[in-house]
Amino acid sequence: MQQSTFLKDETPEVTPENLGEALQQAIDIEISTIPAYLYTYYSVNRVPVQNAIQGQLVQELIGRGMDVMQAGGVALGLSAQVMVFANKVGATIMSVVMEEMLHLALSSNLKQALAGQPLMTGRSPSSYPAELPGHVPPLKINLAPFSLNQLKTFLSIEMPQTTPDAEMLALPIPFHTIGEFYGMIQECIEKNDLPYDTARPQLVPGKRYYSPNSIDTVYYDIQHKPQYMDADDSGDLVEVLDRDSAKQAIHNIVTQGEGNTGAPIFNPDDPASCEHIMNAGFDDPARQEPSHYEKFAMLYCEYQELSKQFTSQGFDADIGTYFVYNVPTNPTTAAYPDAGVTGLDGTRFPEGTLPAVSTLLNAVYTYIFLMTEACYQQGNGNTQFEIFMFGIHKSMIFILDALCGEIRSLTYASEGQTYNAAPTFENYSFGPRSSPKQQIVDLYNAAVKLSPGLNYLGQRINDLPDVSLA
């Protein structure tokens, strides 16, 4: 990812002169978090086989001397809770991803109105572990499977703004929380009479570009009742036309991430903190949807509570073994093996299958940002609507999701372990000789020859809008 020069000099505040760089930095921050959240989401098996979990638990309990009836009851209760929690983990993380995509659009609207074209293509981190751009102290982000450690990283990303101590203030880079960073931008907007270009196209409300919920943001509780993670009143797209609308856009970003109540910071290493998390930030007026920070804190506490129930019966505390795929940490396409790849059913795939599928996935992922950039250039007629609805929605919901599932079904051996492959979310460099869409079609044709199971994606890929690199 190209790094902004903002926050690398000694300027302690956002000014009209560096506002454009600061807003691009805000866009880069949002882009940096999306791959990490998505990667962890795809590491979760949201619908593990309950009978398999229950049977495993029963056998272990009987082996320790528990009678069959009692073992069956204990195993049924524990396995049911694992099923609910696994689905809730997926719904929670995807609900955050949905709002991070909203934040990307809001920060891009801000830049479009105040400084010009937002840049997104090729600005994902070039490799992982990566650092959240501008964060002090440096915050390492990994593409890693779901775990308590990964939740700690997510909590650090979404940390609510607090008053930094003197030692932190003495550091040359003044960005300690995302809320503080956006606060500096808002202060610049409030203090200065800035010009707003209302002619440049933005992603605006009222066109169905953003919906707070989808099939991926709902889970079913222990009574099999649907629970939606996002509230309808938690925030929407904002067309930035003036100071007030700019402040509203910032408000939506910060409150969705951090909440708005100023409650004490959650300490994952202090068990007592779990008693207070529901007093922390909500991001909607009706207080129905917790902030991103709160959602991750709740998952952390629920993970620990469920682990206690398992350990009380003599099981290992790592409940993730029942619903988290064994995906690698910080994978790259170049490091994936050419040969020795098998499917979940033992099918052996031809040499080159895994790199080909991974490269196709990266090209689709990069194309999403290229299409989003195009939406900020195409504001007339139906072009923007067609790019967003038939391009971004289709590629994100259907194509990218399908490819992430397909690559996860490929397994390979490394250093004595068997891994499920996973998306690497690398920037794909489109060449100049043909359109990006044609290059995706070519990559698909190469991948489907090696993995015929991808055949159903052909029509969807051919239906993508053709967006130029220019």
Side-chain angles (χ1 to χ4, degrees):
M1 179 179 69
Q2 297 176 345
Q3 293 291 333
S4 167
T5 57
F6 178 68
L7 295 181
K8 292 187 179 299
D9 57 21
E10 295 182 358
T11 304
E13 62 181 345
V14 177
T15 66
E17 291 71 30
N18 66 19
L19 178 59
E21 290 183 277
L23 290 169
Q24 184 59 50
Q25 183 96 7
I27 294 168
D28 292 343
I29 289 170
E30 304 300 345
I31 292 175
S32 295
T33 66
I34 291 169
Y37 291 150
L38 281 175
Y39 189 91
T40 301
Y41 173 81
Y42 285 110
S43 77
V44 174
N45 181 359
R46 294 188 60 173
V47 285
V49 180
Q50 184 176 4
N51 287 342
I53 299 173
Q54 184 178 354
Q56 177 184 338
L57 298 178
V58 165
Q59 291 302 314
E60 291 189 42
L61 290 169
I62 292 175
R64 293 202 295 268
M66 188 177 289
D67 69 72
V68 174
M69 291 295 293
Q70 185 181 2
V74 171
L76 176 62
L78 291 176
S79 62
Q81 290 187 73
V82 168
M83 294 289 292
V84 171
F85 184 67
N87 201 9
K88 183 176 183 178
V89 167
T92 300
I93 297 175
M94 183 51 71
S95 75
V96 172
V97 171
M98 297 273 288
E99 291 186 337
E100 293 296 344
M101 294 296 290
L102 171 63
H103 299 176
L104 177 62
L106 290 170
S107 57
S108 296
N109 284 357
L110 285 162
K111 188 181 180 191
Q112 183 81 317
L114 289 164
Q117 176 72 33
L119 304 177
M120 290 171 248
T121 307
R123 299 190 76 89
S124 284
S126 57
S127 63
Y128 285 87
E131 291 186 6
L132 192 65
H135 193 278
V136 176
L139 176 57
K140 295 289 186 182
I141 303 174
N142 291 295
L143 297 183
F146 177 78
S147 67
L148 288 179
N149 281 336
Q150 190 71 338
L151 283 176
K152 284 184 177 180
T153 298
F154 293 170
L155 286 165
S156 295
I157 291 171
E158 306 289 354
M159 177 76 69
Q161 184 174 351
T162 58
T163 302
D165 56 33
E167 181 180 358
M168 295 182 75
L169 284 174
L171 295 170
I173 301 176
F175 163 22
H176 307 91
T177 70
I178 293 176
E180 180 187 355
F181 179 77
Y182 276 104
M184 290 190 288
I185 294 174
Q186 179 165 317
E187 185 176 5
C188 177
I189 290 170
E190 289 176 338
K191 285 184 175 180
N192 297 280
D193 187 16
L194 302 171
Y196 291 80
D197 191 328
T198 58
R200 298 187 188 122
Q202 298 182 36
L203 291 175
V204 300
K207 294 190 175 183
R208 296 184 289 122
Y209 291 155
Y210 173 69
S211 175
N213 279 300
S214 72
I215 191 172
D216 292 324
T217 61
V218 63
Y219 75 97
Y220 292 84
D221 63 20
I222 202 73
Q223 285 81 35
H224 304 288
K225 295 181 179 179
Q227 303 293 321
Y228 289 91
M229 294 305 303
D230 289 339
D232 291 336
D233 62 345
S234 68
D236 199 347
L237 285 163
V238 176
E239 185 175 10
V240 178
L241 303 171
D242 51 25
R243 180 180 290 158
D244 287 342
S245 54
K247 289 168 62 177
Q248 183 62 50
I250 292 172
H251 171 81
N252 288 1
I253 294 171
V254 174
T255 56
Q256 285 186 344
E258 302 182 0
N260 54 16
T261 64
I265 300 299
F266 172 73
N267 180 3
D269 297 318
D270 178 10
S273 283
C274 288
E275 300 174 7
H276 307 295
I277 59 171
M278 286 307 296
N279 296 320
F282 289 83
D283 64 11
D284 65 313
R287 295 174 64 83
Q288 297 298 310
E289 181 186 342
S291 67
H292 297 179
Y293 183 79
E294 187 78 359
K295 288 177 180 179
F296 291 137
M298 292 168 70
L299 286 185
Y300 193 96
C301 292
E302 289 178 37
Y303 188 109
Q304 289 191 315
E305 178 57 33
L306 187 52
S307 292
K308 288 179 183 178
Q309 295 185 43
F310 271 75
T311 56
S312 70
Q313 297 294 338
F315 296 112
D316 192 283
D318 184 11
I319 59 172
T321 58
Y322 300 106
F323 64 90
V324 180
Y325 292 100
N326 189 29
V327 297
T329 297
N330 300 326
T332 64
T333 303
Y336 276 147
D338 283 329
V341 175
T342 62
L344 296 178
D345 60 357
T347 302
R348 297 188 66 84
F349 284 85
E351 184 174 341
T353 298
L354 182 50
V357 174
S358 184
T359 301
L360 171 62
L361 192 157
N362 289 331
V364 171
Y365 170 72
T366 303
Y367 198 51
I368 291 173
F369 292 112
L370 181 60
M371 288 187 290
T372 306
E373 276 189 8
C375 288
Y376 285 89
Q377 298 168 332
Q378 306 288 339
N380 298 321
N382 295 320
T383 306
Q384 184 194 68
F385 182 85
E386 291 172 355
I387 291 174
F388 198 94
M389 300 303 291
F390 302 112
I392 297 170
H393 272 190
K394 177 177 288 188
S395 57
M396 183 72 177
I397 295 173
F398 297 111
I399 302 174
L400 185 68
D401 182 74
L403 285 171
C404 288
E406 291 290 344
I407 199 170
R408 193 178 56 194
S409 71
L410 301 177
T411 66
Y412 65 96
S414 177
E415 298 181 352
Q417 289 197 56
T418 298
Y419 291 95
N420 294 84
T424 60
F425 296 119
E426 296 166 280
N427 297 308
Y428 182 80
S429 180
F430 291 107
R433 294 189 176 182
S434 61
S435 70
K437 177 185 173 180
Q438 183 57 52
Q439 292 172 63
I440 291 176
V441 171
D442 294 341
L443 290 171
Y444 165 77
N445 290 333
V448 77
K449 289 179 182 178
L450 301 171
S451 181
L454 297 174
N455 186 64
Y456 70 99
L457 289 176
Q459 190 59 54
R460 291 174 177 172
I461 288 176
N462 278 289
D463 287 343
L464 287 172
D466 200 346
V467 174
S468 169
L469 272 176

